[in-house]
Amino acid sequence: MALSLAPAESMASLNSDLSYDILRRLDGPTLASAACACAAFCSISKEEKLWENVCSSTWPSTSREDVKSLISCIGGFRKFYADCFPLIVNKDVAEYQWNGHLEYPEEWTEAEYYGDVDEFESVAPSDFVSIVDIRYKDKTICSKVLWGIPNVNELSGWFYNCPFRIDLLTYAARDDDNEGEVFLSVSDGLPPILSMEKERKDGKLWMELRDGLRLSWIVVNKKVKQTVNLASWSPLGGQRHWPTDKDFVTRFGSVLSAKGILPCQVVECILIMKFRVVHTEGEGVQTTLKLTELSMQLKDMEGAHVNGRSSLLILKKALSCHRSKNHSEALESCHLYSKAQAELKEEKMRNESRLDRLCILSGIAASLTFWYYFL
């Protein structure tokens, strides 16, 4: 018994400065676990500076002064990490069943058309901030911050009815200190590629890129002081050599609840990252990729783009959704959504096939009836 109590007594007797020095070297999950070890660690782990260091190492974009001020205003770095480290898990996907009787309204009122809703339920594009970081093999290659949603300052109504989409590389550079283009090369860990013909056969570059990329897309709502990470961290899928031989597309995202907003009840937040090969291995030149697209869009179960008004409401709803530190659980909910989407597509194809056969039989019956009476 004396031996089992010794470690706890030793931790309690540690100098507070030494304890702080130990804890500041830990990552987020380990720091959270250490806080449960003893009262001393629990007290020290509440220090904001510790969590600021954790956030900076996890999301380098949080080191910017404007982002630091934002995080302080919405509750601090400890709360920010607790909200953004777990990924979205939508448990409603397994229970989802398409209701064909639910339809989108054919006519909007003037208030709905221009996005005017009840004062307590209002949500404005300027309320949102996007904090985005891309890693490749644990090395940060891109950090972007986008304040608000672009091209909606006039509030003319078109945004609320057009498909929702954010092209981060197009708009973030306006207010970003790091306006340079993003490249990946052999020095970053890419395998050397002698020719695209060889890459088409073995797919080595594509596999290294897919396995090494990590994306975090954090959305902050300044008004309600809540945050959420919309990315899946690791890729959900992708394509190589699309639409040309030199393009590599990876897809990240999450499944968001749309209950009370859209008939489909759930939608997919799709985050697209595209790299293009600008150099293959040659004399004095390394294999180099350039980041050409980083975008967000929302699609419903049938693959239709969600408009701006509904997207803002869905993003606001996502701020209070269920999350999990188990990344495999988050990825599983995305795969369940893809499975349900595929089943819906197959069902629609079967229904269309039956309808086609019915139309053909009706046409044959009509022709036979016509010839029977007129011959």
Side-chain angles (χ1 to χ4, degrees):
M1 180 62 72
L3 289 176
S4 64
L5 292 175
E9 292 174 356
S10 299
M11 286 190 293
S13 62
L14 284 177
N15 179 275
S16 59
D17 292 337
L18 181 58
S19 298
Y20 182 91
D21 189 61
I22 293 173
L23 295 182
R24 73 179 181 85
R25 302 171 187 273
L26 304 179
D27 59 17
T30 309
L31 178 58
S33 299
C36 303
C38 66
F41 277 9
C42 179
S43 177
I44 296 173
S45 67
K46 296 177 182 178
E47 291 286 338
E48 273 292 288
K49 190 61 180 177
L50 288 175
W51 292 104
E52 180 179 343
N53 294 337
V54 168
C55 289
S56 297
S57 61
T58 307
W59 308 293
S61 52
T62 59
S63 299
R64 292 175 37 151
E65 290 302 321
D66 53 353
V67 178
K68 285 183 180 181
S69 300
L70 172 66
I71 294 175
S72 298
C73 291
I74 62 174
F77 285 92
R78 185 184 180 197
K79 178 180 181 297
F80 182 84
Y81 185 88
D83 289 340
C84 300
F85 179 74
L87 299 182
I88 292 175
V89 175
N90 196 320
K91 296 186 176 182
D92 294 333
V93 177
E95 302 174 359
Y96 169 81
Q97 289 185 350
W98 179 264
N99 187 343
H101 300 290
L102 292 174
E103 298 179 353
Y104 293 88
E106 295 181 359
E107 296 183 359
W108 298 89
T109 65
E110 183 177 355
E112 290 173 330
Y113 182 86
Y114 287 102
D116 299 325
V117 291
D118 186 81
E119 179 182 358
F120 298 102
E121 294 297 328
S122 63
V123 52
S126 58
D127 294 339
F128 295 94
V129 180
S130 292
I131 302 173
V132 181
D133 291 282
I134 304 175
R135 289 179 178 270
Y136 179 70
K137 293 187 175 179
D138 295 328
K139 176 184 177 182
T140 301
I141 62 171
C142 179
S143 292
K144 298 284 184 181
V145 179
L146 181 63
W147 297 84
I149 296 176
N151 288 346
V152 292
N153 294 331
E154 298 179 1
L155 299 178
S156 58
W158 68 267
F159 165 78
Y160 296 96
N161 297 277
C162 291
F164 174 82
R165 180 184 173 94
I166 297 178
D167 290 297
L168 193 72
L169 295 184
T170 303
Y171 300 107
R174 298 177 182 176
D175 301 315
D176 202 335
D177 295 333
N178 181 20
E179 296 184 7
E181 297 175 320
V182 180
F183 293 94
L184 271 178
S185 65
V186 172
S187 59
D188 297 311
L190 287 178
I193 300 301
L194 299 177
S195 69
M196 293 308 298
E197 182 66 29
K198 185 176 185 300
E199 164 60 19
R200 260 194 300 272
K201 295 179 180 178
D202 57 31
K204 186 176 181 180
L205 177 60
W206 162 243
M207 288 186 288
E208 288 284 338
L209 190 65
R210 179 193 60 194
D211 296 340
L213 282 174
R214 297 293 181 265
L215 172 66
S216 172
W217 190 310
I218 295 171
V219 169
V220 181
N221 188 305
K222 297 182 292 183
K223 181 182 291 184
V224 298
K225 298 183 178 181
Q226 291 180 312
T227 58
V228 66
N229 195 342
L230 298 178
S232 50
W233 189 240
S234 58
L236 297 173
Q239 293 174 295
R240 63 187 182 120
H241 313 306
W242 182 92
T244 70
D245 283 350
K246 295 186 176 182
D247 287 327
F248 296 82
V249 180
T250 49
R251 180 176 61 86
F252 302 77
S254 53
V255 179
L256 309 181
S257 173
K259 286 184 176 179
I261 303 173
L262 296 177
C264 56
Q265 306 298 309
V266 287
V267 300
E268 184 178 16
C269 176
I270 302 173
L271 308 175
I272 296 295
M273 189 188 305
K274 183 189 293 186
F275 282 89
R276 173 167 293 180
V277 178
V278 293
H279 294 295
T280 54
E281 206 73 12
E283 294 183 2
V285 181
Q286 291 184 329
T287 300
T288 307
L289 305 182
K290 177 184 176 181
L291 181 63
T292 59
E293 180 183 333
L294 183 56
S295 64
M296 176 202 294
Q297 53 191 312
L298 302 183
K299 290 186 178 182
D300 65 16
M301 187 67 77
E302 292 188 308
H305 291 269
V306 181
N307 65 24
R309 179 180 182 274
S310 298
S311 294
L312 292 182
L313 295 174
I314 291 170
L315 289 178
K316 183 179 179 181
K317 194 178 186 69
L319 296 168
S320 56
C321 65
H322 180 75
R323 300 165 220 192
S324 174
K325 297 178 183 178
N326 186 344
H327 287 191
S328 61
E329 186 178 358
L331 295 177
E332 182 183 359
S333 69
C334 294
H335 295 319
L336 286 174
Y337 180 91
S338 298
K339 182 180 178 181
Q341 194 174 41
E343 291 175 352
L344 173 63
K345 185 177 180 180
E346 291 177 1
E347 182 181 351
K348 291 186 66 178
M349 291 178 65
R350 286 194 296 267
N351 291 337
E352 290 174 0
S353 178
R354 285 193 290 265
L355 183 60
D356 290 341
R357 288 196 296 268
L358 180 61
C359 290
I360 292 172
L361 292 174
S362 299
I364 293 173
S367 298
L368 292 175
T369 303
F370 174 81
W371 290 111
Y372 176 80
Y373 283 105
F374 289 94
L375 290 182

